[in-house]
Amino acid sequence: MQTCSLCNTSSPDQANHCVNCQADLAENSTTAVALKHFQANPRVKAVTLASSYNACSYCYEQLDTYPVDEVPPLPHKGCSHENGCRCFYIPVLSEIYP
Ligand SMILES: [Zn+2]
Ligand SMILES: [Zn+2]
Ligand SMILES: [Zn+2]
């Protein structure tokens, strides 16, 4: 599941464009917008990938902390959960991750 940052409508993981407003979800999903903000913030040194407790095994294997310019896009293309990928980003700030 991915959420459009422009109209707040949820679209399936496979959708490239928002089912409501046709926005490009690679640019405008809430996770894509959040990642852009992290990458523009010099205090963000890394991004941790987190998921809900019942993530599928594929998503579970992707959970890690990535350098800010190597963060994989969400939703995960290989996700096999019936509700789709529900992973999200957590920024790691320089103060706690030197
Ligand atoms: Zn939309
Ligand atoms: Zn998954
Ligand atoms: Zn995932």
Side-chain angles (χ1 to χ4, degrees):
M1 199 62 87
Q2 36 188 351
T3 304
C4 176
S5 66
L6 303 177
C7 69
N8 248 340
T9 299
S10 295
S11 298
D13 281 0
Q14 299 77 15
N16 292 320
H17 296 89
C18 173
V19 295
N20 180 50
C21 75
Q22 308 302 318
D24 183 351
L25 290 170
E27 292 284 318
N28 295 297
S29 71
T30 51
T31 52
V33 170
L35 181 58
K36 268 190 279 186
H37 284 151
F38 299 152
Q39 290 171 333
N41 183 344
R43 289 176 60 222
V44 177
K45 297 302 176 198
V47 174
T48 296
L49 217 54
S51 191
S52 52
Y53 67 97
N54 58 349
C56 73
S57 58
Y58 178 87
C59 285
Y60 193 78
E61 282 173 17
Q62 314 303 312
L63 301 185
D64 203 350
T65 297
Y66 297 87
V68 74
D69 52 356
E70 294 174 22
V71 183
L74 293 178
H76 287 122
K77 296 292 180 213
C79 179
S80 61
H81 194 279
E82 59 181 7
N83 292 332
C85 174
R86 285 146 304 142
C87 301
F88 54 92
Y89 300 130
I90 300 172
V92 181
L93 300 177
S94 53
E95 284 87 333
I96 55 173
Y97 188 81

